[in-house]
Amino acid sequence: MESNKTSQEQKPKVGSIKNKIVAQDLEEERKKANFDIKELTESYFGGKEKLEQHNDHISVMENDPILRNTEKWYDMTREEQIEHNFKRARRTYEINKEKYYHNYEVSYIPWFSAMFQGIFPFGLTMSMFSLCIQQLGDDEQVAKWLPLVKQMKMIGCYAQTELGHGSNVAVILEQVQYFQGLETTATFDKEKDEFILNSPTITSTKFWPGELGKFGGWAVVYAKMIINGKNHGVQPFMLQMRDTETYETLPGIECGDIGPKFGYASKDNGYLILKNVRIPRSNLLQRYVNVDREGHFTIKGDLRSLYSVMMFIRVSIAIGAAKTLGVALTIGTRYAVVRRQFSTQDGTKIERKLLDYQTHQFKYTPLLAYTYAFNFTSLALMEMHQQLLKDMKTGNFGLLDLAHHLSSGYKASYTRICYDGIDTIRQSCGGAGFLAWSGLPTLQTDYAPNTTFEGDNTVMHQQSARLILKTIKNIQRGFKPTGIFDYFNKFEELLSKKGQVKGSADLLCLVNLENALAVRSAFKIKTTAMKMATSQLSENEKANSAFSVDMVSMAHAHIMYVTFKYFLNHIENHPYKCPKVKENLKNLARVYALTELLQDSVSLYETGFFTVGNAQHLLEAQKEAIAIVRPQMIPLVEALAVPDSYIVSAIGNSYGDIYETQLEWAKNSKLNQTSVLPGIKEHILPILHGKL
């Protein structure tokens, strides 16, 4: 009877990493590719050269027994993970210290993000700490300290956030006072030509900075500079915290790790308490400010430069959102085409692939659309930020407001969608997704801080909203904005569009979708601006009490429209040789816009752009758009080029092995190394034997 089964009734062959067998279902999905995957991958990474650099990092990691990522990571304690990554940091230094350290230039996508499970121990040293010196130190300070950082003779951190002051330390570009919440003080002692650093209150304790508590020996400390009793605002100071020989803390310094967290277990997030710690006057970072021997304070540039380092991190976070969501999609989508559940297919008893359920496609396809849109938009922001850093050195701050607006908005919108997306994927994988072996729980918890650090997302949307409102006021004075704000000039035209959708086909037109997102944003901006303009409340009350929710909603709608525009611009202008690449990206752009409109289209009904019945048209259009993408899901996901050695997943590997490896890793887990657990004989058997 078995031999008489039709091919349709035979279960597809399963994948096996051990035997190098690719699951039949995964093989078949790959064969459906109708575009040049390599060309899309190169574009996704920002060019062939960047992709080659990434692959080189991966190759080094895969071929070294100390650097190689393994499932054992998931079974380590926090202390074991930290020590393991210390070993790996040392190993990279041994392999090629010039490449990875001495000649390393700060990057938005650093080499260690591709090579390390968990969090690289010295990522802040090689990013924010290094950038502080480069951007805020004068030439003499850069020459003195930067080579030591590159040689790993100075391991440092960016000590800004305090126990009582989180997002309110961020620069508000429209105001004169910066970092106004910080309490740490740096008081100038003219007699000894020194600054005295103090943490005067419990809330002034530096709290949360990475590499502050245990890893770092140095810190750029942000503190209120006080000279002759006058507060000259928050300034950055170089502080040595630990003895270079013993690594013990120096007198007057108390620091340590803040303890267990929701994720980020392998990173040292620390606290710092300062008690009359003296540093030379020359430790004030002096590219933009100066204090002479007599205590005279002068400004040599624009104080907004102090914000440049944090902005760099926000740009990096925006880029990281797309990359991280792509990792989760790689795991989840592969699992979804190999895992079959329930015999619901007509004409066969073979169970249906998870990804062939419409509900599953509605979870995954929008996330894939967001991944590509966020990636290409963030790459454009990265180029803008690079130009800004060059301009600032010559005193040109023209791009600062725009870069601040976009980096704040992208950070807020992208990280929330990414975090929620990872959770959606984890849940959709059922019990397998809940297992650490899937790679998803660690990915989710390690990504979780992104929604909070470098600015709470709500505050970041409020920051982003400021330039929107400022632009509206400028328009009322006769100014005509350009670039991403060009559509502000067309608000009346956009808001006058009525009954634009007659059926679902109209919602598959990219022009109509662009107009819909523009109208949604325009309506929220105009109504918010009008409410604030006619309110008799103070500007403070308007922004923080009466209309803060309006501002957040407005900013998010604007950011998602701008993202769509950048995505379309990339599709139209990038010189793809394979026309099918553009076709697939356009399909994803449709899914992106329809997802946004399904989530929030009230404004479109308010304006009359949508009318009764359009809600169903939206849903039917999304069904059609997602169905078009479905055959290309695996090729589009695998164009993200996430290697097995990076994801370390028992359910998302390139072999489609979702059973054999999962069971093998379970058998080899730490808890199964003894037949009887410690404590059973001492505490439980006496109960079972009635001896208590």
Side-chain angles (χ1 to χ4, degrees):
M1 292 294 293
E2 195 70 26
S3 60
N4 292 330
K5 282 187 176 182
T6 65
S7 59
Q8 278 191 324
E9 293 175 323
Q10 292 175 351
K11 287 186 177 181
K13 69 178 181 183
V14 297
S16 170
I17 295 176
K18 185 188 301 182
N19 297 312
K20 307 298 182 188
I21 297 173
V22 178
Q24 183 179 333
D25 283 333
L26 187 54
E27 277 187 327
E28 291 175 354
E29 292 285 342
R30 287 171 175 159
K31 291 176 182 176
K32 296 176 184 177
N34 67 359
F35 64 95
D36 187 334
I37 294 177
K38 182 181 178 183
E39 185 179 23
L40 180 55
T41 301
E42 289 178 356
S43 172
Y44 180 78
F45 276 84
K48 184 178 180 180
E49 182 180 351
K50 286 186 172 63
L51 175 60
E52 289 175 349
Q53 290 172 354
H54 173 78
N55 289 339
D56 177 64
H57 300 327
I58 293 295
S59 176
V60 171
M61 177 265 289
E62 290 176 338
N63 291 300
D64 189 275
I66 295 176
L67 297 180
R68 191 177 305 127
N69 295 329
T70 74
E71 78 283 358
K72 292 181 175 61
W73 175 263
Y74 303 129
D75 226 357
M76 290 182 183
T77 65
R78 186 180 181 208
E79 291 78 8
E80 288 171 338
Q81 287 185 347
I82 290 173
E83 184 176 1
H84 182 62
N85 272 351
F86 282 164
K87 292 178 182 176
R88 302 177 89 206
R90 173 176 174 164
R91 183 61 181 145
T92 54
Y93 199 86
E94 291 171 341
I95 290 174
N96 195 332
K97 59 187 176 184
E98 285 77 20
K99 176 180 179 180
Y100 294 120
Y101 295 92
H102 297 183
N103 299 327
Y104 173 72
E105 296 297 331
V106 177
S107 170
Y108 302 91
I109 310 173
W111 59 265
F112 44 82
S113 69
M115 294 173 67
F116 274 68
Q117 281 177 296
I119 313 302
F120 178 62
F122 310 120
L124 273 298
T125 297
M126 299 177 66
S127 57
M128 296 184 82
F129 183 67
S130 179
L131 272 176
C132 277
I133 296 170
Q134 291 181 53
Q135 297 297 321
L136 307 180
D138 62 22
D139 292 345
E140 184 178 339
Q141 291 171 324
V142 171
K144 175 183 177 181
W145 289 323
L146 192 59
L148 297 176
V149 175
K150 288 178 173 290
Q151 294 165 25
M152 290 299 285
K153 292 180 180 179
M154 285 179 73
I155 297 172
C157 66
Y158 181 89
Q160 177 178 289
T161 303
E162 296 176 352
L163 187 57
H165 306 91
S167 295
N168 64 326
V169 301
V171 171
I172 299 174
L173 297 182
E174 291 82 3
Q175 297 180 4
V176 175
Q177 180 63 50
Y178 304 99
F179 303 91
Q180 50 192 336
L182 293 181
E183 295 181 87
T184 303
T185 59
T187 305
F188 184 59
D189 182 342
K190 179 179 176 181
E191 182 180 342
K192 294 190 176 180
D193 198 25
E194 294 175 334
F195 282 102
I196 307 170
L197 301 182
N198 272 294
S199 305
T201 64
I202 187 172
T203 50
S204 69
T205 302
K206 295 297 182 184
F207 205 85
W208 278 110
E211 290 152 56
L212 173 64
K214 293 291 185 181
F215 294 3
W218 297 77
V220 172
V221 176
Y222 281 81
K224 290 190 294 188
M225 183 167 66
I226 299 171
I227 304 175
N228 296 325
K230 183 179 179 180
N231 180 2
H232 289 278
V234 173
Q235 305 296 342
F237 298 85
M238 182 64 75
L239 169 69
Q240 182 175 355
M241 299 186 296
R242 294 179 178 274
D243 182 273
T244 54
E245 296 298 323
T246 65
Y247 227 60
E248 295 290 341
T249 54
L250 296 173
I253 293 174
E254 178 187 348
C255 60
D257 183 80
I258 65 173
K261 306 177 291 284
F262 179 71
Y264 242 49
S266 56
K267 170 60 72 176
D268 156 39
N269 292 93
Y271 69 86
L272 172 66
I273 300 173
L274 301 166
K275 296 178 181 177
N276 297 318
V277 179
R278 290 180 172 271
I279 60 173
R281 175 172 54 89
S282 58
N283 278 27
L284 166 68
L285 296 183
Q286 299 178 60
R287 180 172 294 278
Y288 298 105
V289 297
N290 182 62
V291 175
D292 66 18
R293 182 65 181 82
E294 298 303 312
H296 297 129
F297 172 74
T298 55
I299 297 174
K300 298 190 289 183
D302 194 315
L303 285 180
R304 292 179 297 176
S305 305
L306 296 175
Y307 186 65
S308 62
V309 176
M310 182 176 281
M311 188 185 293
F312 167 85
I313 298 301
R314 287 180 187 154
V315 175
S316 301
I317 289 172
I319 297 171
K323 303 301 184 197
T324 306
L325 192 52
V327 174
L329 278 165
T330 300
I331 296 171
T333 310
R334 283 174 175 165
Y335 182 73
V337 298
V338 177
R339 173 71 170 179
R340 291 174 174 266
Q341 195 79 27
F342 308 120
S343 301
T344 59
Q345 300 181 100
D346 293 338
T348 178
K349 293 181 180 180
I350 298 295
E351 294 180 303
R352 188 188 295 264
K353 297 176 183 177
L354 291 182
L355 198 59
D356 283 341
Y357 286 98
Q358 189 180 66
T359 50
H360 220 78
Q361 294 168 29
F362 262 61
K363 295 173 184 176
Y364 280 50
T365 317
L367 296 178
L368 183 60
Y370 281 135
T371 297
Y372 276 102
F374 293 174
N375 181 77
F376 292 125
T377 303
S378 297
L379 290 177
L381 175 62
M382 180 181 73
E383 292 179 3
M384 180 191 298
H385 185 250
Q386 288 173 330
Q387 186 59 51
L388 169 62
L389 292 179
K390 293 177 184 176
D391 291 349
M392 284 170 61
K393 288 186 176 181
T394 62
N396 179 0
F397 290 81
L399 286 173
L400 183 59
D401 283 358
L402 179 59
H404 169 61
H405 164 71
L406 291 177
S407 62
S408 299
Y410 290 172
K411 190 270 181 190
S413 293
Y414 294 5
T415 57
R416 178 188 62 77
I417 290 170
C418 178
Y419 179 78
D420 290 346
I422 297 170
D423 192 52
T424 295
I425 293 168
R426 182 190 62 78
Q427 291 187 51
S428 72
C429 292
F434 194 68
L435 270 175
W437 311 132
S438 71
L440 292 169
T442 298
L443 185 69
Q444 182 177 5
T445 55
D446 277 349
Y447 187 76
N450 284 267
T451 61
T452 303
F453 59 32
E454 309 314 324
D456 167 79
N457 281 354
T458 300
V459 176
M460 288 300 94
H461 270 137
Q462 290 173 313
Q463 287 287 301
S464 187
R466 292 177 183 275
L467 188 58
I468 296 174
L469 296 172
K470 181 179 179 181
T471 303
I472 291 295
K473 289 180 179 178
N474 288 338
I475 290 174
Q476 293 166 352
R477 300 186 185 105
F479 172 73
K480 286 200 170 186
T482 58
I484 67 166
F485 296 112
D486 176 63
Y487 78 108
F488 282 28
N489 300 310
K490 308 170 187 174
F491 273 9
E492 295 307 317
E493 176 188 340
L494 288 168
L495 296 175
S496 67
K497 292 179 180 290
K498 310 293 182 183
Q500 297 294 299
V501 176
K502 307 302 181 186
S504 59
D506 292 332
L507 288 164
L508 292 173
C509 170
L510 287 172
V511 173
N512 288 340
L513 291 172
E514 180 185 337
N515 283 334
L517 290 177
V519 169
R520 183 181 73 168
S521 179
F523 179 81
K524 288 174 182 280
I525 292 170
K526 184 176 180 180
T527 53
T528 300
M530 286 178 62
K531 284 190 282 187
M532 295 181 75
T534 56
S535 172
Q536 299 303 308
L537 295 172
S538 68
E539 292 302 314
N540 177 53
E541 285 298 304
K542 289 178 187 179
N544 296 298
S545 295
F547 307 111
S548 54
V549 172
D550 307 72
M551 290 171 64
V552 169
S553 178
M554 168 192 77
H556 177 69
H558 167 73
I559 286 297
M560 298 312 286
Y561 168 69
V562 170
T563 299
F564 186 69
K565 285 285 290 180
Y566 269 112
F567 190 22
L568 290 184
N569 183 65
H570 170 83
I571 295 170
E572 293 300 326
N573 296 316
H574 189 83
Y576 288 112
K577 295 178 181 178
C578 174
K580 285 291 185 179
V581 172
K582 287 195 175 187
E583 182 181 314
N584 280 289
L585 290 178
K586 285 181 179 179
N587 289 336
L588 288 176
R590 293 183 180 94
V591 173
Y592 172 101
L594 289 166
T595 300
E596 282 296 305
L597 296 173
L598 280 166
Q599 291 174 351
D600 178 12
S601 57
V602 173
S603 300
L604 295 163
Y605 289 99
E606 290 270 6
T607 66
F609 188 97
F610 279 173
T611 57
V612 174
N614 285 163
Q616 283 303 309
H617 295 145
L618 270 175
L619 181 59
E620 293 308 311
Q622 181 73 312
K623 288 179 182 178
E624 185 175 345
I626 284 176
I628 291 171
V629 174
R630 168 61 188 93
Q632 300 303 312
M633 278 295 288
I634 281 293
L636 285 168
V637 166
E638 294 196 336
L640 305 178
V642 184
D644 288 356
S645 57
Y646 182 83
I647 59 175
V648 191
S649 175
I651 68 169
N653 52 76
S654 61
Y655 290 92
D657 178 348
I658 64 173
Y659 300 120
E660 185 177 86
T661 297
Q662 195 175 166
L663 180 58
E664 181 183 344
W665 288 1
K667 289 180 177 180
N668 292 332
S669 69
K670 192 182 293 184
L671 210 59
N672 291 327
Q673 299 313 299
T674 57
S675 59
V676 180
L677 287 174
I680 292 285
K681 292 180 180 179
E682 295 84 351
H683 307 296
I684 305 304
L685 288 185
I687 299 175
L688 293 177
H689 297 158
K691 293 181 179 180
L692 286 182

